[in-house]
Amino acid sequence: MQKVAYKTVVCMRRHSPMAKVKKVKVRTGKRYRSGRASDHYDAVVVGSGIGGLTNAALLSLMGKKVCVLEQHYTAGGYTHAYEREGYEWDVGVHYIGEVHKPSTMKRMFDVISEGRLKWAAMDPVYDKIILKDKEYDFVAGRDNFIDELCKHFPQERQVLEEYVQLIRKISSQTPKFFAGQAMPSWMSKVYNWVRPFLVTKEFFKNTREVLEGMTQNQELISVLTGQWGNYGQTPRDASFLMHALIAKHYLAGGAYPVGGASDIARSIIPTIQKSGGEVFTYADVAEILVKDNKAYGVRMADGSEILADTVFSNAGFMNTIEKLLPEISKKRHNTAAWTKNLERSSAHLGIYAGFKGTSEELGLDSTNLWIYQDGDHEANLDRYNNDPMADFPLVYISFPSSKDPDWDNRFPGKATVEIVTPAKMEWFKQWDGSEWQQRGEDYEAFKEQFTQRLLEKLFERHPQLRDKLDFCELSTPLSTNFYQKTSGGEMLALDHFVERFKQSCLHPQTPIKNLYLTGSDVMTAGVGGALMGGVMSTMTLLGLKKGKQVMDLFKNYQEPEPQPAPEVEPIKVDMAS
């Protein structure tokens, strides 16, 4: 960790000797202790990422008592936020599409949060793609997106129109592609056999193959794939399905949760509690209980057992198979064969930086920056993977304090920045298994090199921030393993090769009765993908007839009447000297 000199007092806006500071606990969920949970639930969910929270909320709305067990100190999975030295950052919710306007996804969030979760639209330029010294803006709206890129590629208007038409086509046919995920497992296998005849052929090709079939303009391809960090693979490797879903997801712009990322879990938990359920933190599950090939609950790390009619695992496919299943189940179903055609996604490095001054004072907006040394994404990533001191293949910079309209109410006089770049777990293997903050000087020195290099990327774009830096720390793949219980530091669970979507083992219904998988691994990466994983796995549990009840919840939802804002408790805040 790199720390610079900072004051621990909260800075106030200059015009007021007294500020109203909105006090919000960033941690969500109830701390688990043996005896706090009931002996039996209708369902237990292992992991409180958005997929698991969706399962629990939907079942609760149907009157089921659900227990969500999160090993971390706060709920939310990759949608959680954390606080350090008077600042707050999200760890995965950098921006979300399709929720700041009427859409299926917004309605789903409205249902599981019962209207409590609010969204703020980002600036019209939601992403800026930077290839060396050239900049390309992604502007919200189909026509705006095309018109802006035509300024740089005037001869490619037809290609751009066909591209947008194609990603919209992929999006519209995605329900057909994933329909098998809501069916019983045996039926899904039959359905997926005929699936290639039901959807366009681009579903089964990689991104570069599809785009090079549309244009030979490599610069345009580099720009159109400039968001590849959202799914963690370059055009050569990522399925076009994954690329198209991300590109279409943001085509109307990006949005951010009002109140910060932690408000996602905070707004959903009351829905789970209304039918007697709970979301527990510090709740480490050691094993899924299985007898006669039927799951019937979980054994906690403290040895206690929580029983349930159904168990959902939102811990990730690899974690579930390798860490949570009893040995007898692994042997019975030969789970080692399930993972042969699957790969963990990339690890990453993340800078979390705090600055003195508001976003407005510092000249920051909400536009994400995607910075590349040039447009050769594959060669740059390959070079970097072989040499961590090579130039970064991608640097993503986000400004969360600029995206949240409630930020200044909670953290007056401050601003935050996040910087993300790929990494490999192998670079940190020598410290694997070591204790957090006790990994030695070599580890800290290795981190410091990355910290300074990444900060320089930020200062190149925003030199005014250099003297305003107040706090900074770097997360590594070891940080991800520690907080998310991953093994390879993976941030996006499984990679999205074309073959990944042909694996029958990634179905919500496992061959162990009453055990279901949920979250992004049964659908796609991202908050939206994990949300849909929760929806589909809930429908799979309920069956073909009762599963329609889930769709009815979305169909029949009505916006609640606006409620007056609660009073904010004023507290004194000393002026920074």
Side-chain angles (χ1 to χ4, degrees):
M1 181 196 311
Q2 184 224 11
K3 288 190 179 181
V4 296
Y6 57 82
K7 292 182 174 69
T8 56
V9 295
V10 180
C11 296
M12 278 190 55
R13 294 179 182 175
R14 295 174 184 170
H15 62 267
S16 174
M18 173 74 73
K20 286 186 176 182
V21 178
K22 183 178 179 181
K23 296 188 294 183
V24 177
K25 289 184 178 180
V26 70
R27 296 190 183 189
T28 56
K30 181 178 181 180
R31 184 163 187 154
Y32 170 81
R33 291 189 179 90
S34 181
R36 277 193 172 179
S38 299
D39 294 331
H40 184 273
Y41 290 88
D42 294 310
V44 162
V45 180
V46 183
S48 69
I50 190 61
L53 291 178
T54 300
N55 291 123
L58 291 174
L59 291 174
S60 178
L61 290 169
M62 297 176 186
K64 302 297 184 181
K65 184 178 179 180
V66 185
C67 175
V68 181
L69 300 168
E70 171 57 55
Q71 59 87 28
H72 196 6
Y73 61 65
T74 188
Y78 280 116
T79 68
H80 84 269
Y82 86 102
E83 191 172 12
R84 189 94 80 227
E85 304 294 351
Y87 291 90
E88 177 187 310
W89 301 268
D90 63 69
V91 299
V93 184
H94 303 303
Y95 64 145
I96 299 177
E98 301 180 326
V99 290
H100 53 297
K101 61 184 184 66
S103 67
T104 299
M105 185 165 294
K106 182 181 185 302
R107 183 166 287 258
M108 290 178 174
F109 273 113
D110 285 346
V111 167
I112 63 177
S113 71
E114 298 180 293
R116 288 178 289 269
L117 182 57
K118 305 301 181 184
W119 303 94
M122 292 169 55
D123 294 334
V125 179
Y126 55 95
D127 281 329
K128 184 182 291 290
I129 311 301
I130 302 164
L131 304 182
K132 199 173 182 179
D133 54 357
K134 294 183 179 181
E135 299 181 4
Y136 310 84
D137 290 342
F138 283 8
V139 186
R142 174 194 178 278
D143 293 341
N144 295 333
F145 179 88
I146 293 172
D147 290 345
E148 179 62 29
L149 289 183
C150 281
K151 294 177 183 178
H152 302 276
F153 305 99
Q155 306 303 316
E156 302 284 356
R157 177 171 287 275
Q158 183 177 347
V159 170
L160 286 165
E161 290 177 348
E162 291 174 353
Y163 167 78
V164 170
Q165 182 179 1
L166 179 57
I167 63 175
R168 295 176 76 176
K169 182 178 182 180
I170 292 287
S171 178
S172 68
Q173 292 187 0
T174 293
K176 286 184 180 180
F177 185 84
F178 284 114
Q181 298 301 82
M183 300 176 183
S185 181
W186 69 267
M187 188 180 294
S188 175
K189 292 177 182 178
V190 175
Y191 177 84
N192 289 343
W193 187 79
V194 301
R195 184 172 62 179
F197 303 101
L198 304 177
V199 298
T200 186
K201 63 182 182 298
E202 284 84 4
F203 274 92
F204 306 98
K205 296 182 178 182
N206 69 45
T207 302
R208 182 163 291 284
E209 182 181 6
V210 172
L211 294 182
E212 288 187 344
M214 302 179 74
T215 179
Q216 289 303 303
N217 189 323
Q218 293 299 321
E219 183 179 353
L220 177 58
I221 291 175
S222 297
V223 172
L224 292 177
T225 57
Q227 300 165 312
W228 68 259
N230 278 325
Y231 45 90
Q233 289 178 284
T234 60
R236 173 190 62 198
D237 299 322
S239 81
F240 185 72
L241 163 63
M242 190 66 246
H243 167 83
L245 289 179
I246 289 293
K248 165 60 173 62
H249 180 66
Y250 293 115
L251 194 60
Y256 197 77
V258 177
S262 64
D263 218 57
I264 295 177
R266 185 179 297 108
S267 68
I268 299 171
I269 288 174
T271 308
I272 299 167
Q273 293 171 327
K274 70 185 302 178
S275 292
E278 188 56 87
V279 176
F280 289 105
T281 56
Y282 293 98
D284 194 4
V285 174
E287 186 177 62
I288 295 170
L289 297 173
V290 179
K291 183 178 181 180
D292 298 329
N293 201 42
K294 294 181 181 179
Y296 65 94
V298 297
R299 179 177 295 112
M300 307 300 291
D302 65 7
S304 61
E305 295 183 354
I306 301 176
L307 308 184
D309 297 331
T310 302
V311 177
F312 286 94
S313 179
N314 192 42
F317 178 79
M318 292 295 196
N319 271 351
T320 303
I321 301 308
E322 296 175 355
K323 299 178 181 179
L324 296 179
L325 285 186
E327 287 300 322
I328 189 171
S329 296
K330 294 179 185 179
K331 293 178 181 178
R332 176 171 182 164
H333 299 290
N334 189 24
T335 57
W338 297 1
T339 61
K340 286 185 178 179
N341 294 315
L342 300 172
E343 294 185 24
R344 301 178 195 272
S345 66
S346 172
H348 75 289
L349 301 169
I351 286 277
Y352 301 94
F355 295 86
K356 293 179 285 187
T358 67
S359 294
E360 183 179 2
E361 291 168 346
L362 296 173
L364 304 179
D365 57 29
S366 66
T367 302
N368 301 312
L369 304 181
W370 297 88
I371 303 173
Y372 300 94
Q373 54 184 295
D374 56 43
D376 196 346
H377 299 316
E378 289 87 355
N380 294 335
L381 180 61
D382 290 344
R383 187 181 307 112
Y384 175 71
N385 283 339
N386 291 323
D387 177 10
M389 293 301 113
D391 199 1
F392 295 118
L394 154 66
V395 174
Y396 168 81
I397 303 180
S398 175
F399 306 92
S401 59
S402 302
K403 299 174 183 178
D404 178 10
D406 191 52
W407 172 268
D408 286 341
N409 295 326
R410 306 193 317 277
F411 301 98
K414 296 185 176 184
T416 53
V417 175
E418 296 165 358
I419 313 174
V420 181
T421 198
K424 291 182 71 66
M425 181 63 197
E426 288 79 3
W427 301 343
F428 299 88
K429 273 294 185 183
Q430 71 185 87
W431 299 288
D432 195 13
S434 59
E435 292 293 325
W436 179 55
Q437 293 188 333
Q438 298 180 30
R439 295 186 173 123
E441 293 182 1
D442 289 348
Y443 176 73
E444 297 300 330
F446 191 48
K447 284 178 58 178
E448 183 66 10
Q449 294 182 63
F450 288 112
T451 297
Q452 295 304 324
R453 291 170 61 198
L454 288 169
L455 284 175
E456 281 304 313
K457 292 292 185 181
L458 171 66
F459 297 148
E460 286 172 8
R461 301 294 308 183
H462 289 286
Q464 77 276 16
L465 295 180
R466 189 182 297 272
D467 295 332
K468 300 295 184 179
L469 182 62
D470 191 32
F471 176 84
C472 176
E473 67 179 359
L474 177 80
S475 71
T476 72
L478 298 182
S479 313
T480 306
N481 283 350
F482 179 79
Y483 288 111
Q484 299 296 327
K485 293 201 78 171
T486 54
S487 296
E490 62 270 26
M491 187 177 186
L492 298 168
L494 298 173
D495 261 334
H496 295 77
F497 294 100
V498 172
E499 289 300 312
R500 172 240 172 94
F501 296 104
K502 300 177 182 179
Q503 306 307 307
S504 61
C505 60
L506 295 181
H507 189 272
Q509 186 179 38
T510 74
I512 299 170
K513 190 174 181 180
N514 303 333
L515 174 61
Y516 294 82
L517 301 174
T518 187
S520 62
D521 283 345
V522 300
M523 290 294 287
T524 66
V527 175
L531 170 77
M532 287 303 304
V535 172
M536 301 299 268
S537 54
T538 303
M539 294 178 67
T540 304
L541 165 69
L542 295 174
L544 293 177
K545 291 184 178 180
K546 290 185 178 180
K548 293 180 180 179
Q549 297 176 20
V550 176
M551 292 295 101
D552 288 342
L553 287 173
F554 301 136
K555 180 180 178 181
N556 299 328
Y557 175 79
Q558 293 183 348
E559 292 274 354
E561 291 293 326
Q563 299 295 317
E567 290 292 326
V568 178
E569 178 186 352
I571 62 172
K572 288 186 177 181
V573 183
D574 294 332
M575 293 288 289
S577 57

